Amino acid sequence: MEQTTEKKKRILSGIQPSGSFTLGNYIGAIRNWAKLQDDFECLYMVADLHALTVRQVPADLRARTKEATAMLLAAGIDTKESILFAQSHVPAHTQLNWILCCNSQFGELSRMTQFKDKSAKHPDNVNGGLFTYPALMAADILIYNADLVPVGQDQTQHLELARTVANRFNNAYSPTFTLPDGYITKEGAKIMSLTDPTKKMSKSDDNQNSFILMNDDRDTIVRKFKRAVTDSDGVIRFDTENKPGISNLMSIYNVFTGKSMDEIAAEFDGRGYADFKVAVGEVVADALDPINAEYEKILADKAYIDNTLKEGAQMASKLANRTLTKVYKKVGLYQI
Ligand code: AQP
């Protein structure tokens, strides 16, 4: 009997160890990563090199790379199914980055809104890495010939650039890179800051109350939600334009309970914001508590973490070096 084995599509995604992971990172990325493992061939990367585009305290960056790995494992990344590695452990990324920099145009890189935003946020450190970040991101994706890249809205411009550069390279030399598509997950809602619900919740925010960390304890989680900035009309209704704070809390509650916005509005009808905020805090803590317990166990086992990263880097390098060798040959670098 003829057997048809359809090859799984390959996914690449990364997260910067630029701070401890927030609830935004969990809802928008990590939670989905675990689910994608069944249907796709997944490569997940702790993007330590990308984190360097903003000044980092070396000891903190080192510690956070280890913590990030432990958290990803605790949140369900299974190394029997997926490849988990640190970006700097696979040198082919930076090697391909150079080739792609030489195939990216100054004008294209100048148009990237993240470059403009981060330059404005760190005017004293508008470095070359920040400018060429999208070329490194393109290298991260193209080196594995990833078919799909789960991205938030903030990353679609970078993904488009990766496609442009891949296409340019394929036309200039010969077909080499797969053109990656964005993979938008249904539940990848953008979670907003608790202190300014018009801004994205970000791990590098200076205000500790603006975010929930995945490893915050229950009391901290509930306290932060109690303080969340909302509005004064006292009605629980989903309206991102006029009620961004309440709508953000409703989105979070929806993710963990599966209840629709109408059901949430009905559940808290006439009960006031205080009750609702505590309820949101409780469902978030219920979801994060078991992950945290696992995280603490894994974090205590340095050998396990190091071994995971080592094996991940070996497997990723094998795939990445294959692409890099082809690329080096095609652009005319002398082979010995
Ligand atoms: N608030 C958010 N809501 C939904 N998804 C989010 N992501 C980040 N914040 C939210 C998703 O998390 C993944 C990893 O992000 P990253 O580490 O590459 O950097 P980022 O998007 O810049 O995340 P942060 O937390 O805002 O980091 P900093 O403060 O260092 O810039 C991505 O898939 C992202 O969409």
Side-chain angles (χ1 to χ4, degrees):
M1 200 172 72
E2 197 184 328
Q3 274 201 337
T4 49
T5 48
E6 209 178 306
K7 199 170 171 289
K8 282 184 180 176
K9 287 198 170 181
R10 186 176 286 172
I11 276 191
L12 178 282
S13 205
I15 187 158
Q16 298 185 51
S18 46
S20 299
F21 295 160
T22 68
L23 183 64
N25 296 129
Y26 181 62
I27 293 176
I30 301 167
R31 186 166 172 268
N32 302 317
W33 289 7
K35 294 184 192 163
L36 293 170
Q37 299 178 113
D38 293 339
D39 299 324
F40 300 97
E41 184 190 336
C42 300
L43 288 120
Y44 294 127
M45 154 185 101
V46 179
D48 51 356
L49 293 171
H50 282 299
L52 292 178
T53 53
V54 173
R55 189 83 65 216
Q56 302 288 336
V57 176
D60 290 353
L61 179 61
R62 235 182 327 266
R64 284 198 308 253
T65 301
K66 181 173 162 244
E67 289 160 11
T69 309
M71 190 53 97
L72 292 175
L73 291 167
I77 304 303
D78 179 355
T79 52
K80 286 197 276 308
E81 291 191 80
S82 305
I83 300 180
L84 174 62
F85 64 101
Q87 190 183 23
S88 67
H89 295 173
V90 184
H93 288 235
T94 37
Q95 292 169 297
L96 181 61
N97 170 46
W98 178 250
I99 307 288
L100 298 185
C101 274
C102 297
N103 284 277
S104 306
Q105 298 302 303
F106 180 82
E108 288 167 345
L109 295 170
S110 310
R111 281 195 288 278
M112 297 293 118
T113 48
Q114 180 174 292
F115 171 68
K116 293 182 201 162
D117 291 350
K118 289 211 169 169
S119 306
K121 203 169 160 195
H122 306 279
D124 56 332
N125 187 22
V126 183
N127 59 76
L130 198 57
F131 187 67
T132 57
Y133 177 109
L136 180 56
M137 178 169 151
D140 299 333
I141 301 165
L142 301 180
I143 200 132
Y144 299 109
N145 282 307
D147 300 289
L148 297 170
V149 186
V151 281
Q153 274 169 6
D154 54 328
Q155 291 295 331
T156 51
Q157 205 187 15
H158 290 160
L159 184 64
E160 200 44 51
L161 185 80
R163 289 173 61 89
T164 303
V165 174
N167 205 23
R168 181 174 296 138
F169 189 99
N170 288 350
N171 288 332
Y173 300 97
S174 61
T176 308
F177 297 122
T178 303
L179 298 197
D181 284 311
Y183 184 79
I184 314 284
T185 44
K186 197 170 89 249
E187 291 133 333
K190 187 166 162 191
I191 303 305
M192 311 310 277
S193 156
L194 296 185
T195 50
D196 177 358
T198 60
K199 252 178 42 188
K200 185 178 95 153
M201 182 183 285
S202 268
K203 54 176 127 61
S204 60
D205 200 311
D206 293 331
N207 186 346
Q208 297 282 320
N209 288 321
S210 72
F211 50 67
I212 302 291
L213 293 179
M214 284 182 71
N215 55 341
D216 276 341
D217 59 36
R218 180 174 290 269
D219 288 350
T220 309
I221 293 173
V222 173
R223 179 174 48 77
K224 286 183 181 176
F225 273 113
K226 275 186 185 166
R227 287 193 186 167
V229 169
T230 48
D231 52 61
S232 54
D233 82 352
V235 181
I236 292 165
R237 174 169 53 85
F238 192 74
D239 176 351
T240 48
E241 197 147 314
N242 300 306
K243 296 171 69 65
I246 285 295
S247 302
N248 188 38
L249 299 183
M250 290 178 83
S251 298
I252 296 169
Y253 196 69
N254 156 270
V255 165
F256 294 106
T257 61
K259 292 178 184 167
S260 70
M261 297 308 170
D262 286 345
E263 284 169 336
I264 299 169
E267 183 180 349
F268 292 95
D269 186 29
R271 281 175 57 187
Y273 290 173
D275 259 16
F276 178 48
K277 286 176 173 180
V278 171
V280 178
E282 295 289 349
V283 293
V284 170
D286 286 347
L288 294 182
D289 271 357
I291 298 176
N292 256 320
E294 188 62 18
Y295 167 71
E296 292 299 338
K297 257 197 270 168
I298 296 173
L299 192 62
D301 192 348
K302 181 176 184 310
Y304 172 58
I305 295 172
D306 288 0
N307 205 36
T308 299
L309 287 177
K310 199 168 163 186
E311 284 178 4
Q314 278 166 355
M315 287 190 279
S317 291
K318 213 164 149 189
L319 300 172
N321 289 338
R322 217 178 284 157
T323 309
L324 188 71
T325 304
K326 269 194 216 163
V327 169
Y328 271 17
K329 271 192 199 152
K330 290 192 187 198
V331 298
L333 298 178
Y334 185 61
Q335 309 288 304
I336 48 169

